[in-house]
């Protein structure tokens, strides 16, 4: 009797845990390869931006001389390859599974930035990146199965439900306010404005990319979706959103330290994308409370990593490090501090200071 009960319990457990579907595994592999390409592209593009800025108008102040720099185009092609793999991943797996795997690109870009760009990452910054990866892994292990969709018109109907329409209208309003009001005033000194635009627009682009990916997957399987106007509307939305993301991501990379841009962009982009996916595709409707709570714990872990990255900046720029920072002022290159990770870039430090010391640091020296 006891043996039969144990067998029934084991069978129930086996039925309740089915593991990852074949589509989810395909999405996982594509997302991992995408992260490798995208992580490397950050560094190559940054090298191209710095090289172009040395002989022309920098992207951070509105210049487009990087378009004539071959190295920037190499980085762009690398990123396109990664985005294509990422695009394909969304056609097979839900955004909650695909998007967090971008954490791997943080590690790749941070390591390459340390080796190639000499942008040193504080030990707590390394720990912050590690926490981002742990949180992402937690989310991936509890991701829901992909929703069964048989036509791009189903995605269109999901996009026009009131909840997602409200989210999309809110995102577009915030982005327009940031672009026309805050970025002209604070974009060069506060990293969050550039990254916020990229992340908010990115959440809409991922939903459109997923719709377009589903349409192409169904078309290749014999159900032509190219005859529907909805497919082309999603294509237009993807194009506009990607161009906007590329423009403001270039500005962020050219203005701030790559080791900070990458993880902050990842955290914000992941958060908004998963939020959009939960609203539009109702991913959490197919999960139990334990899985949802575990995923939320993963989010908290990721946010903890971001907090440590911010604290790294405070430790590098704080009053305890003033003397060390002054002695290493001559080691700064193109406004990027080598011994720390600035979240804000101070303009005119080199021009406004006396005896090679910026005004901000002179004031700290005069303060008793």
């Amino acid at each position: 009797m006891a043996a039969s009960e144990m067998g029934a319990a084991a069978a129930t457990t086996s039925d309740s845990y089915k593991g990852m579907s074949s589509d989810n595994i395909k999405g996982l592999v594509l997302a991992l390869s995408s992260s490798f390409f995208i992580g490397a592209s950050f560094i190559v593009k940054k090298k191209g931006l710095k090289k172009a800025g040395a002989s022309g108008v920098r992207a951070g102040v509105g210049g487009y001389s990087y378009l004539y720099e071959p190295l920037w185009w190499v980085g762009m092609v690398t990123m396109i390859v990664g985005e294509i793999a990422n695009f394909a991943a969304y056609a097979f797996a839900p955004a909650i599974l695909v998007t967090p795997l971008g954490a791997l690109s943080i590690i790749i870009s941070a390591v390459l930035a340390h080796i190639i760009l000499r942008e040193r990452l504080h030990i707590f910054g390394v720990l912050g990146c590690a926490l981002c990866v742990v949180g992402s892994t937690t989310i991936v292990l509890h991701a829901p199965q992909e929703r069964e969709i048989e036509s791009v018109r189903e995605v269109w109907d999901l996009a026009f439900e009131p909840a997602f329409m409200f989210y999309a209208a809110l995102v577009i309003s915030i982005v327009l306010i940031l672009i026309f009001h805050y970025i002209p005033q604070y974009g060069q000194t506060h990293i969050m404005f550039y990254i916020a635009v990229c992340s908010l627009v990115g959440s809409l682009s991922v939903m459109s990319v997923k719709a377009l990916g589903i349409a192409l997957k169904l078309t290749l399987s014999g159900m032509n979706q190219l005859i529907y106007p909805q497919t082309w509307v999603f294509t237009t939305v993807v194009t506009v959103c990607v161009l906007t993301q590329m423009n403001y991501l270039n500005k962020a990379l050219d203005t701030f330290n790559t080791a900070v841009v990458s993880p902050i962009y990842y955290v914000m982009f992941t958060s908004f994308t998963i939020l959009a996916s939960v609203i539009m595709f109702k991913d959490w409707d197919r999960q139990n409370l334990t899985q949802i709570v575990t995923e939320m714990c993963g989010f908290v872990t990721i946010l903890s990593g971001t907090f440590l990255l911010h604290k790294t900046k405070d430790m590098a720029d704080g009053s305890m490090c003033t003397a060390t920072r002054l002695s290493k002022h001559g080691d700064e290159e193109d406004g990027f501090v080598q011994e720390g990770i600035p979240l804000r870039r101070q303009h005119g430090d080199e021009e406004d200071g006396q005896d090679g010391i910026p005004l901000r640091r002179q004031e700290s020296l005069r303060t008793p």
Side-chain angles (χ1 to χ4, degrees):
M1 187 69 175
S4 60
E5 291 177 354
M6 291 178 61
T12 302
T13 303
S14 176
D15 291 338
S16 63
Y17 180 75
K18 300 180 180 179
M20 296 180 66
S21 66
S22 59
D23 278 353
N24 276 17
I25 292 175
K26 292 175 184 177
L28 176 63
V29 173
L30 287 167
L32 289 174
S33 60
S34 169
S35 294
F36 279 105
F37 283 107
I38 293 176
S41 73
F42 272 102
I43 307 305
V44 179
K45 287 176 65 178
K46 180 65 176 286
K47 290 286 288 185
L49 288 168
K50 293 178 70 175
K51 189 175 180 180
S55 57
V57 181
R58 293 173 45 251
V61 292
Y64 294 93
S65 58
Y66 61 85
L67 295 175
Y68 301 97
E69 176 54 48
L71 191 59
W72 182 86
W73 282 107
V74 171
M76 194 64 198
V77 170
T78 305
M79 175 168 281
I80 289 173
V81 172
E83 292 296 347
I84 291 174
N86 202 45
F87 172 87
Y90 281 112
F92 290 97
I96 289 182
L97 171 62
V98 175
T99 307
L101 290 177
L104 183 58
S105 66
I106 296 177
I107 304 302
I108 295 170
S109 61
V111 171
L112 293 179
H114 178 80
I115 297 172
I116 298 175
L117 302 178
R118 294 184 298 171
E119 295 179 356
R120 300 180 185 176
L121 190 62
H122 193 276
I123 184 63
F124 286 106
V126 176
L127 179 58
C129 289
L131 286 174
C132 289
V133 174
V134 171
S136 300
T137 304
T138 303
I139 294 173
V140 168
L141 292 177
H142 295 83
Q145 301 296 329
E146 174 68 323
R147 182 190 183 112
E148 292 293 335
I149 295 178
E150 299 180 354
S151 171
V152 70
R153 289 179 295 184
E154 291 185 34
V155 185
W156 183 263
D157 292 338
L158 291 172
F160 275 86
E161 290 191 358
F164 188 76
M165 286 296 292
F166 174 78
Y167 173 80
L170 183 63
V171 165
I172 293 172
S173 301
I174 294 174
V175 166
L176 291 176
I177 292 173
L178 290 175
I179 290 176
F180 292 106
H181 180 70
Y182 286 100
I183 285 180
Q185 299 183 49
Y186 307 110
Q188 291 290 303
T189 56
H190 294 74
I191 191 174
M192 299 305 294
F193 293 111
Y194 285 145
I195 301 301
V197 171
C198 293
S199 302
L200 287 167
V201 173
S203 68
L204 297 181
S205 70
V206 167
M207 297 303 100
S208 299
V209 162
K210 186 169 182 63
L212 188 56
I214 291 172
L216 293 178
K217 182 177 73 171
L218 292 173
T219 298
L220 293 175
S221 65
M223 295 179 287
N224 188 10
Q225 303 295 306
L226 301 181
I227 60 175
Y228 299 120
Q230 292 90 337
T231 301
W232 301 105
V233 173
F234 283 127
T235 303
T236 302
V237 174
V238 169
T239 302
V240 173
C241 290
V242 168
L243 289 176
T244 304
Q245 285 178 266
M246 182 182 70
N247 182 42
Y248 287 96
L249 184 58
N250 281 333
K251 292 178 183 294
L253 285 171
D254 190 53
T255 307
F256 301 97
N257 194 312
T258 307
V260 173
V261 172
S262 298
I264 292 180
Y265 175 57
Y266 161 76
V267 171
M268 292 186 66
F269 173 73
T270 300
S271 300
F272 286 124
T273 298
I274 292 179
L275 175 61
S277 181
V278 167
I279 295 173
M280 181 172 172
F281 290 97
K282 301 176 177 60
D283 294 322
W284 282 350
D285 290 352
R286 304 188 298 277
Q287 294 187 285
N288 57 43
L289 182 61
T290 301
Q291 291 174 309
I292 295 174
V293 170
T294 304
E295 289 174 1
M296 294 303 296
C297 290
F299 277 118
V300 172
T301 305
I302 293 174
L303 294 177
S304 299
T306 308
F307 173 77
L308 280 180
L309 289 168
H310 279 73
K311 292 303 293 181
T312 300
K313 173 257 178 183
D314 294 335
M315 294 177 66
D317 290 338
S319 58
M320 293 180 63
C321 301
T322 301
T324 304
R325 303 285 287 164
L326 286 174
S327 66
K328 295 179 179 178
H329 177 62
D331 293 334
E332 294 182 7
E333 179 183 358
D334 297 331
F336 295 97
V337 182
Q338 301 300 316
E339 293 297 327
I341 305 176
L343 291 179
R344 298 182 182 180
R345 185 175 180 181
Q346 302 297 326
H347 289 286
D349 280 357
E350 291 80 2
E351 293 81 5
D352 296 337
Q354 299 178 5
D355 300 325
I357 303 176
L359 289 177
R360 184 184 179 190
R361 296 181 187 179
Q362 290 177 18
E363 292 173 0
S364 66
L365 290 175
R366 289 196 294 268
T367 303

